[in-house]
Amino acid sequence: MTANALRRRIDADVTVIDKSRTHSYQPAYYLIPFGYMDLDEHQRDTRELLHNDVEFVQDEVVGVDPDEQTVSGENGTYEYDILISAVGNNLRPDAVPGMLEGWNQTDSVYPFYHVSAARAMGDAVDEFDSGRFLVTVPDTPIKCGGAPLKLTMLMEEYLRKRGVREDAEVVMTKPGSEVFGTGPKAPYQEQIEEIWDDRDITFVPDFTVSEVDYENQTVHSEEGDALEYDLYAPVPPQYGHEFVVKNSPLTDGGEYVSVNDNTLQHETYPNVFALGDNADVPTSRTASAARKQSHVVVDNVERYLADRSLAPDYDGYTACPILVEKGKAMIAEFDYESPISAPVVSRLNWILDINVIPSLYWNVWMRGYDPVP
């Protein structure tokens, strides 16, 4: 999206470097196990998404030197005048002892943020008819913070429709005390709590996953608690990519690229910008946030090249469609300070998330257009 928009806005060569030629619609992952979305219909060749004037280089980045203005890849070194970091984050199930082994060696552990796990989980969901379905959230920032809640609610409804809900327990844990959040998230938190109370979904707060004993199907926490499971869908811990964290100074000792919260310009290197999951800004990491950030980055790159003051236009906007059951959803929409949308559950919100947004994503936003910036 950003590359295509820049191609129209500035007189410069625009290059995209990515290790994969396949671009997937990640918001579909939690829908795959229930057959509500087919990922094969939501994958594209990255080269075909880019305008012909945008150069695409398939290479794996291994380091960034902002002093020399170079990006190092496995296959070469690339010079830049402006760098935009949009590399996402790194899923690390191996950071929790036993999580990766449970995924690889059993049929009961599915870290569904990985597309292969989401696909494989479909059969497990269909075969699950009793016991505890457990979802855990790690003590790290995660992309799409609403995804574990949505998976939990869709599973509860799926069990009801199959007539096995009375024999099953649906549980989700988080390291904090709130199922969704406080501050600008508070109205949506209240709505979710009501839904979960009504549907007997269990929320376990203050549970920080420390180990997965996959042989005994038990998850242990740093707080000293333990939960058994029959089917386990953990959100894996997520960190910055090593080439940014260890092989560049861009994170300033943290996990993500240090940028101004409003301009998205790097705090030290003025010709570096960041957006999406790898930008260290205090908002929820969602596709909608990245979309809004893309507008700000494109505008500010243009301003930077023209030696104009940057516009502090990013206000922390993010949106998370929260699917509460098949055919019904709520849109949680907020910025740094306040909620924006009302916490209303409706069929229209489901249609928006399942039918409208994916079409806009592929046919409008990824092409560098956005009628509602």
Side-chain angles (χ1 to χ4, degrees), residues 62-64 92 240-251 253-255:
V62 296
V64 179
R92 293 285 309 279
H241 288 283
E242 183 174 297
F243 65 82
V244 176
V245 177
K246 294 184 178 180
N247 298 335
S248 90
L250 295 179
T251 66
E255 290 291 327

Side-chain angles (χ1 to χ4, degrees), residues 145-345:
L149 287 76
K150 294 183 273 190
L151 180 78
T152 301
M153 287 186 280
L154 291 177
M155 181 62 171
E156 190 278 333
E157 184 215 15
Y158 199 68
L159 293 171
R160 275 192 285 119
K161 287 190 172 181
R162 291 176 49 219
V164 297
R165 179 65 176 94
E166 291 186 359
D167 298 320
E169 184 182 7
V170 180
V171 180
M172 193 192 89
T173 77
K174 289 186 76 172
S177 60
E178 309 293 339
V179 68
F180 189 61
T182 58
K185 299 180 182 179
Y188 318 108
Q189 161 88 14
E190 294 172 4
Q191 179 72 281
I192 293 166
E193 286 178 333
E194 290 181 11
I195 292 170
W196 287 32
D197 286 343
D198 182 59
R199 290 163 55 177
D200 195 26
I201 299 173
T202 301
F203 172 58
V204 179
D206 304 316
F207 190 97
T208 307
V209 176
S210 62
E211 181 184 2
V212 178
D213 180 355
Y214 59 91
E215 293 179 338
N216 294 300
Q217 296 190 179
T218 303
V219 180
H220 296 273
S221 77
E222 292 181 1
E223 293 80 4
D225 300 313
L227 286 170
E228 295 181 352
Y229 63 83
D230 295 281
L231 181 58
Y232 180 33
V235 177
Q238 297 166 32
Y239 301 95
H241 288 283
E242 183 174 297
F243 65 82
V244 176
V245 177
K246 294 184 178 180
N247 298 335
S248 90
L250 295 179
T251 66
D252 195 27
E255 290 291 327
Y256 298 103
V257 179
S258 303
V259 293
N260 179 276
D261 292 348
N262 303 113
T263 66
L264 305 177
Q265 181 186 44
H266 196 273
E267 300 283 7
T268 304
Y269 301 97
N271 63 336
V272 175
F273 297 80
L275 59 89
D277 296 340
N278 86 141
D280 190 16
V281 294
T283 193
S284 296
R285 290 166 161 81
T286 67
S288 63
R291 169 180 151 248
K292 287 291 186 178
Q293 292 164 9
S294 177
H295 288 284
V296 176
V297 167
V298 169
D299 288 344
N300 280 336
V301 166
E302 186 176 34
R303 286 170 174 268
Y304 177 80
L305 291 173
D307 199 25
R308 295 161 56 201
S309 297
L310 302 195
D313 287 346
Y314 183 62
D315 60 2
Y317 176 89
T318 191
C320 178
I322 299 180
L323 281 60
V324 302
E325 60 182 73
K326 186 177 182 181
K328 292 183 179 180
M330 169 178 65
I331 305 296
E333 188 180 23
F334 50 93
D335 57 27
Y336 286 141
E337 302 294 335
S338 307
I340 298 172
S341 61
V344 176
V345 175

Side-chain angles (χ1 to χ4, degrees), residues 31-221:
L31 295 164
I32 296 171
F34 308 103
Y36 296 157
M37 193 170 284
D38 185 350
L39 186 65
D40 291 337
E41 297 177 1
H42 291 284
Q43 292 183 317
R44 302 287 190 275
D45 185 314
T46 302
R47 173 63 270 177
E48 294 179 1
L49 290 173
L50 297 170
H51 189 276
N52 291 337
D53 291 340
V54 175
E55 182 182 4
F56 176 71
V57 175
Q58 186 172 356
D59 195 359
E60 184 165 0
V61 176
V62 296
V64 179
D65 186 342
D67 294 306
E68 295 296 325
Q69 297 186 184
T70 59
V71 173
S72 297
E74 289 190 345
N75 301 323
T77 299
Y78 311 93
E79 297 180 351
Y80 68 81
D81 297 294
I82 301 286
L83 175 66
I84 300 171
S85 180
V87 298
N89 61 13
N90 191 16
L91 302 178
R92 293 285 309 279
D94 59 299
V96 175
M99 185 178 290
L100 185 61
E101 294 84 351
W103 178 19
N104 290 331
Q105 299 178 33
T106 76
D107 293 325
S108 57
V109 180
Y110 297 90
F112 65 99
Y113 273 52
H114 293 268
V115 64
S116 57
R119 278 178 158 154
M121 189 177 163
D123 290 337
V125 164
D126 288 338
E127 295 170 4
F128 181 81
D129 56 12
S130 65
R132 177 179 287 160
F133 175 72
L134 177 64
V135 179
T136 62
V137 178
D139 190 21
T140 65
I142 64 172
K143 63 178 74 183
C144 193
L149 287 76
K150 294 183 273 190
L151 180 78
T152 301
M153 287 186 280
L154 291 177
M155 181 62 171
E156 190 278 333
E157 184 215 15
Y158 199 68
L159 293 171
R160 275 192 285 119
K161 287 190 172 181
R162 291 176 49 219
V164 297
R165 179 65 176 94
E166 291 186 359
D167 298 320
E169 184 182 7
V170 180
V171 180
M172 193 192 89
T173 77
K174 289 186 76 172
S177 60
E178 309 293 339
V179 68
F180 189 61
T182 58
K185 299 180 182 179
Y188 318 108
Q189 161 88 14
E190 294 172 4
Q191 179 72 281
I192 293 166
E193 286 178 333
E194 290 181 11
I195 292 170
W196 287 32
D197 286 343
D198 182 59
R199 290 163 55 177
D200 195 26
I201 299 173
T202 301
F203 172 58
V204 179
D206 304 316
F207 190 97
T208 307
V209 176
S210 62
E211 181 184 2
V212 178
D213 180 355
Y214 59 91
E215 293 179 338
N216 294 300
Q217 296 190 179
T218 303
V219 180
H220 296 273
S221 77

Side-chain angles (χ1 to χ4, degrees), residues 9-26:
R9 294 275 293 273
I10 64 174
D11 182 19
D13 296 326
V14 179
T15 301
V16 172
I17 303 174
D18 197 327
K19 66 179 180 181
S20 174
R21 266 197 83 132
T22 302
H23 183 79
S24 299
Y25 184 65
Q26 294 185 42

